Amino acid sequence: MTDLAFSKDAMKEYEWMLTRYPNKEAALLPTLRIAEREFENLDPAAMKYVADLMGLSPAKVLGVVTFYTHYRREGTGTYHLQVCSTLSCALRGSEDVCAHLSAKLGVGLGETTDDGLFTLSKVECLASCDTAPMLQCNDDYHEGLTLEDVDHLIDRLREEAKAGGAA
Amino acid sequence: MSDSGAGMVSWVLNGDPVESPAGMTILEAAKAHGAELPHFCYHPGLSIAGNCRICLVETNRSPKPAISCSERISDGLEVQTHSEKAVEAREGVMEFQLINHPLDCPVCDKAGECTLQDYSFDHGPDESRFVEKKNIRHTKDLGPTIKIWGNRCIVCTRCIRFCDEISGTGELCVVARGDRSVVDVFPGIPIDNPLAGNVVDICPVGALISKDFMFQSRVWNNEHTETVCGGCARGCNVTVETNEGFVKRLMPRENTDVNDWWMCDFGRYGWRYAHDDRRVSVPRRGAEAVETELEAHRDLGELVRGAWGGSKKVAIVVDPFLTCEEAHLVGRVAAGTGATVGGWLPPSGDELTFPGKFKISGEKCPNRRGVEAVLGQEVFGSQAKAVESMLNSGGVDLVIVFAGFPNADCPDALASAVGKATARVAFTLFDGAWSEAADLVLPSASVFEKEGTYVNEDGRLQRVRSKDRPGDAQLAQPGLHSASISSPWVTSELVALQRALVHVGDAERSLSAAGVFRQLADSNEHFKGQSHRGIPATGVPLGGLAPAGVGEGSES
Ligand code: SF4
Ligand code: SF4
Ligand code: FES
C-alpha cells in the first residue's frame, strides 16, 4: 500500500538508533520521531512502513502512536499547539489559555482550523512547570504566557505561514 | 501435600497453613486450595498482565494489597482473600471498572456469562456515585466475524495477548490511553485468522461479540452438551450449545492434552450443515419416501439377511465420521456377510501449528484412527482399493455406503463406484451421485447427533455426545420418523445397523452406544478395559495407538 521509504540519512540514523537500545522494539519511539520528520506526520502508511521496517505488527505501532499525544497524527495542522494542563499550568491559568485559543481559532480541543494551519490540544505535563502556563508549538516551547503573548504568537505564525514557511 | 519437600512452599491462606509448589502465583495456588479469586485480565493460557486489579488480596508482606495473579507465593506468606481490606480494595476497583461501563446488560450478548456482571454482583456497589458524563468509545466491526462494543471494554488486553501469543497474528491493540483507551485494529488490517473466534470467548465482558452468535439466544437458555468437534482429526473438546433443538454455538472446552482452551473458526462455525434444509432427513426407496424409519431399517435388515452367511458378494464403504461403536457394528455386518470393508477420507487440508502450540489437523475428519482401530489399519488404504476394484469389476450383489461427509464433500471414487452393485444402500447427509444411484437411502447422523466415541490423531479416545441422544431417544420411540419427533435430529447409523442385526437374528435387541462399546471393549485389544462411563471428560489415550504413528492393525 505504500512506497514510502526513509531517506539515506534517516536510515543511517535509524540504524545508529538501534545500537543504542537493548532490542528493536525499544527503539520504536525514536524511530517514530524519525518517521514523523521524514513523512511529515504518522498516517497509516507511515506507521505501516515503520512496522515493516522494525518487524512489529502494525497494530502494535498504532497502539504506541495513539498512546502518546506528542506524535504528529494524520490531519494535524501546520502548527500543533499543545497546551499543558497539568498542575502548575492549571493553577496559573492554562484553562484560560485554552479557552482563549479555542475562541480565537474557532476550533475545539483536538480540532484543526479549516485553513489547516492550527491544531489545538490539551496535553499533560511538558516538564516546564517553572514557567507555567506554557504551550508547545511543534518543537518550540512558549513559556510564561499571558493572553497577549498568545495573540502575538498566533499573529506571528499566521504571517510566517503567509510568507511561505512553517518553523 | 503433607511433606514440605523440595519445591514446596509453606504459606497461610485465610488462616490455614497450606503448601503449594514453588513458583505458583497466589491466585493459582489459592484456587488449588479451593479459594477462587475474581480475575479479568488473568487467563491460564496467556501471559500475566496484572492490569485489572480485581484480584487484589491482603498479605503480610506489604501494607498495600497484592496483585494475586502476578505475585508468587513464598514461605511464610500470609494471604487474606476476604478480609475487610481485601474486599474493600476489590470494591474500589469494581467501582472504577463500572465508571464508564454502559450497564447495558439487557441487550448485551455476554449477559449471563459475564464476569463483570458476576463480580459486580459480588463486589459492586448497589448504587453508582458517578454523576459525570460517561466516555463514549467506538462500536464497530473488527473483522469478518467479530464486532466490538468499545464502551464495554475494560482493557484487560486478553484479546490482544491472544493474538500476540497464541495465534501469533497480532491484529489487535489498545488505542489511545487512560479512560479513552479501547481495543482496535490497524486501518485496513481486520482480525481475520483461523483462531479469531477465541478472543470473543476470553473477553471477560461483552466488548467482543461474535457476529455469528449475536442476538441469537440468551446464554442461560442454552442447553450444554460436552462433546468433541468433528471438523478435523484434532478432536478439540467442545461444548455444543443448543436451544430448542437447534445448535446456537460451539465453545471450546479446556483440555490441555488436546486443544488447551481454544478451538479454530472452521470448527466453531462449522455446524451449519447440520441444519441445512438440503440434508437427507427421511429414508427413501429410490426417490420415494419410506413411511417410517422402522420400515426402512427392516429393508436394510432384509438385504443384510439375504447376504448373511457369505453366499453373496458384499462390499461396505465406510466413512471416517462413523463412531467407533458404529464401526464395530459395521464389523459385525461384515463378519456375518463376508463383506469387504474399505473407505475414503475427505480431501486433506493444511495442517497448521500456531505459536501458542494450538494445532489444526490436515485430516478433515474426526475418526479415521478409531475406524481403523476397529476395522483394521488398512481400511482407508489397501482395503479401499480392494473395494473399488471389486465394485468396478462388477458382480457385487450388495453395497452399503456410509457417506456422512459434511457439506457433500464426498470423494469422487465413492460416487462412481456405488452404481455398480446389484443392490445399493447409501447412508448419507446430502444427496449426490452415490445416493441417487441407491435403492435405499438412509439419513446419516451429523456429529451433533451421534453418541459414542472418536479417536483423535494422537490416539486419544474421546466421547461424542448428542443433546438428544438419538441412540436412546429413538430406540424408545421406534417407528417414528425423526422429523416427527419434536427434535430436528435424525436417527444415527448406530440405530439403523442394530435394527438390521436384530432383523437378521444376530442380535437380540438394540443397545445404547455404551452397550455397543462394551462389546467393542470385549472384542478389541485397543479398547480393552475401557467403558463410556470410565472415559474422563478430557478423554484417555488408547492402548497401542501411538500418537500420530501407525498402530497395529486388528480385524474385529
Ligand atoms: S475487548 Fe474484551 S478482552 Fe479485549 S481488552 Fe477489552 S475487555 Fe479485554
Ligand atoms: S482444530 Fe479441528 S477439531 Fe479443533 S476446532 Fe478446528 S476443526 Fe474442530
Ligand atoms: S486478574 Fe490480577 S490484575 Fe487482572
Side-chain angles (χ1 to χ4, degrees):
Chain A
M1 99 191 203
T2 162
D3 43 14
L4 291 180
F6 276 0
S7 65
K8 248 207 190 122
D9 283 351
M11 197 52 104
K12 232 162 131 194
E13 190 183 347
Y14 164 65
E15 269 151 20
W16 171 77
M17 203 64 87
L18 287 184
T19 65
R20 307 194 56 219
Y21 288 85
N23 58 49
K24 257 191 176 182
E25 203 171 324
L28 177 57
L29 295 186
T31 306
L32 286 169
R33 270 283 181 249
I34 302 174
E36 190 180 39
R37 251 185 10 238
E38 287 283 293
F39 309 136
E40 285 185 9
N41 62 41
L42 296 174
D43 63 3
M47 287 189 269
K48 179 82 172 32
Y49 174 78
V50 170
D52 293 347
L53 179 71
M54 305 191 74
L56 301 171
S57 76
K60 171 148 254 145
V61 175
L62 176 71
V64 169
V65 168
T66 57
F67 179 85
Y68 295 101
T69 49
H70 60 232
Y71 286 116
R72 283 180 71 85
R73 307 280 302 279
E74 196 177 13
T76 306
T78 314
Y79 301 104
H80 188 188
L81 305 171
Q82 306 179 66
V83 183
C84 174
S85 64
T86 310
L87 189 63
S88 306
C89 288
L91 291 173
R92 302 268 298 157
S94 66
E95 285 293 323
D96 296 340
V97 173
C98 269
H100 187 71
L101 275 168
S102 181
K104 187 173 176 77
L105 301 173
V107 290
L109 291 175
E111 290 174 5
T112 302
T113 52
D114 290 340
D115 57 8
L117 270 190
F118 299 101
T119 299
L120 178 63
S121 334
K122 195 166 108 177
V123 300
E124 299 305 332
C125 189
L126 290 170
S128 191
C129 308
D130 56 329
T131 59
M134 60 81 67
L135 67 75
Q136 180 180 349
C137 172
N138 294 353
D139 286 341
D140 298 332
Y141 274 18
H142 300 270
E143 301 162 294
L145 296 171
T146 62
L147 297 185
E148 287 79 62
D149 293 341
V150 172
D151 286 338
H152 285 140
L153 174 66
I154 298 298
D155 292 345
R156 186 164 65 69
L157 293 175
R158 281 196 172 127
E159 264 162 41
E160 183 181 285
K162 218 181 272 164
Chain B
M1 279 276 150
S2 52
D3 284 351
S4 182
M8 294 300 275
V9 166
S10 305
W11 60 294
V12 180
L13 175 61
N14 294 331
D16 298 329
V18 289
E19 294 194 350
S20 305
M24 270 183 131
T25 60
I26 297 174
L27 184 138
E28 282 165 343
K31 183 175 177 197
H33 286 287
E36 282 239 25
L37 282 160
H39 51 272
F40 292 123
C41 67
Y42 165 81
H43 187 286
L46 303 173
S47 63
I48 294 169
N51 63 26
C52 76
R53 309 290 159 100
I54 194 63
C55 65
L56 294 176
V57 293
E58 183 180 355
T59 74
N60 61 341
R61 290 280 152 85
S62 75
K64 287 205 304 185
I67 303 170
S68 68
C69 70
S70 68
E71 192 157 322
R72 316 243 165 216
I73 50 165
S74 54
D75 279 315
L77 176 76
E78 290 172 25
V79 173
Q80 292 288 342
T81 60
H82 283 80
S83 62
E84 203 178 310
K85 195 167 166 186
V87 171
E88 199 190 330
R90 294 200 294 267
E91 282 177 356
V93 170
M94 201 61 217
E95 187 167 8
F96 277 111
Q97 293 287 12
L98 292 174
I99 277 185
N100 279 306
H101 195 81
L103 298 171
D104 56 348
C105 310
V107 294
C108 177
D109 272 303
K110 200 76 171 193
E113 57 179 10
C114 172
T115 39
L116 190 67
Q117 214 175 30
D118 295 346
Y119 300 157
S120 173
F121 189 74
D122 289 344
H123 287 292
D126 50 6
E127 208 174 290
S128 174
R129 291 188 288 171
F130 190 74
V131 292
E132 290 77 7
K133 244 187 157 158
K134 290 189 186 232
N135 264 346
I136 304 294
R137 290 169 291 170
H138 58 223
T139 298
K140 66 183 223 183
D141 277 0
L142 291 184
T145 55
I146 294 166
K147 223 177 135 120
I148 186 166
W149 262 260
N151 287 340
R152 299 177 187 151
C153 175
I154 59 165
V155 203
C156 69
T157 71
R158 273 185 178 186
C159 55
I160 296 165
R161 279 173 284 147
F162 180 89
C163 290
D164 288 348
E165 297 161 18
I166 308 299
S167 68
T169 47
E171 297 103 327
L172 301 180
C173 66
V174 178
V175 292
R177 68 168 156 187
D179 60 358
R180 295 174 307 279
S181 53
V182 65
V183 167
D184 203 352
V185 291
F186 192 84
I189 308 182
I191 173 167
D192 188 10
N193 69 68
L195 304 184
N198 293 293
V199 300
V200 175
D201 302 342
I202 60 175
C203 180
V205 298
L208 296 177
I209 293 290
S210 149
K211 291 197 220 168
D212 192 68
F213 182 63
M214 187 165 72
F215 308 142
Q216 291 306 302
S217 73
R218 303 306 334 218
V219 297
W220 56 86
N221 288 331
N222 290 352
E223 291 179 271
H224 295 203
T225 308
E226 296 196 349
T227 182
V228 295
C229 173
C232 78
R234 197 65 212 139
C236 289
N237 290 210
V238 298
T239 301
V240 175
E241 296 190 14
T242 48
N243 196 337
E244 295 179 350
F246 287 88
V247 177
K248 290 294 171 185
R249 65 172 176 179
L250 267 59
M251 295 282 272
R253 225 169 7 102
E254 175 182 343
N255 184 344
T256 45
D257 288 315
V258 179
N259 55 302
D260 290 334
W261 297 265
W262 328 119
M263 71 184 295
C264 80
D265 283 6
F266 174 78
R268 182 185 298 270
Y269 305 123
W271 52 265
R272 284 232 149 66
Y273 76 90
H275 293 302
D276 192 320
D277 287 343
R278 289 163 301 181
R279 256 187 81 177
V280 172
S281 60
V282 171
R284 305 193 306 257
R285 294 191 186 100
E288 194 185 322
V290 184
E291 189 137 339
T292 68
E293 234 161 29
L294 206 53
E295 213 179 309
H297 294 158
R298 203 176 299 129
D299 280 11
L300 174 67
E302 203 48 42
L303 287 168
V304 173
R305 178 151 70 185
W308 205 255
S311 54
K312 298 261 174 68
K313 227 173 141 186
V314 182
I316 302 181
V317 179
V318 289
D319 68 51
F321 297 86
L322 293 174
T323 60
C324 296
E325 291 76 1
E326 288 163 345
H328 172 73
L329 295 169
V330 167
R332 282 178 59 186
V333 171
T337 57
T340 308
V341 185
W344 283 276
L345 300 169
S348 53
D350 291 337
E351 175 171 318
L352 297 173
T353 304
F354 295 84
K357 305 282 173 291
F358 183 86
K359 217 174 121 189
I360 298 177
S361 174
E363 193 170 286
K364 297 299 170 200
C365 57
N367 201 30
R368 171 180 70 86
R369 301 210 77 197
V371 173
E372 283 174 357
V374 178
L375 295 171
Q377 203 56 48
E378 278 305 317
V379 65
F380 296 108
S382 60
Q383 285 294 103
K385 296 247 153 41
V387 166
E388 193 174 2
S389 62
M390 189 176 153
L391 284 165
N392 284 331
S393 60
V396 172
D397 299 298
L398 171 63
V399 63
I400 303 175
V401 174
F402 294 88
F405 294 85
N407 307 315
D409 276 339
C410 220
D412 296 338
L414 194 153
S416 59
V418 178
K420 300 187 175 120
T422 314
R424 302 163 296 252
V425 180
F427 283 86
T428 193
L429 275 171
F430 290 93
D431 273 320
W434 57 94
S435 64
E436 270 138 31
D439 317 288
L440 181 63
V441 179
L442 292 156
S444 290
S446 71
V447 182
F448 307 98
E449 295 146 311
K450 286 184 189 275
E451 274 290 311
T453 51
Y454 279 160
V455 179
N456 86 345
E457 62 181 350
D458 294 341
R460 192 176 193 83
L461 180 70
Q462 309 197 95
R463 285 281 277 117
V464 191
R465 289 191 188 78
S466 151
K467 156 73 184 52
D468 286 333
R469 301 174 48 102
D472 293 345
Q474 283 149 14
L475 282 172
Q477 302 192 50
L480 288 172
H481 274 320
S482 49
S484 63
I485 304 180
S486 63
S487 93
W489 304 128
V490 309
T491 304
S492 67
E493 293 88 324
L494 184 83
V495 177
L497 286 166
Q498 292 202 77
R499 291 213 183 116
L501 287 170
V502 170
H503 186 84
V504 172
D506 190 58
E508 255 171 57
R509 61 190 173 89
S510 295
L511 302 174
S512 66
V516 177
F517 188 86
R518 266 196 299 280
Q519 298 176 348
L520 175 61
D522 286 344
S523 60
N524 184 306
E525 264 309 292
H526 297 304
F527 297 87
K528 196 174 234 148
Q530 307 287 358
S531 69
H532 273 198
R533 200 178 288 238
I535 301 172
T538 52
V540 60
L542 211 49
L545 290 185
V550 180
E552 239 194 338
S554 82
E555 297 286 338
S556 70

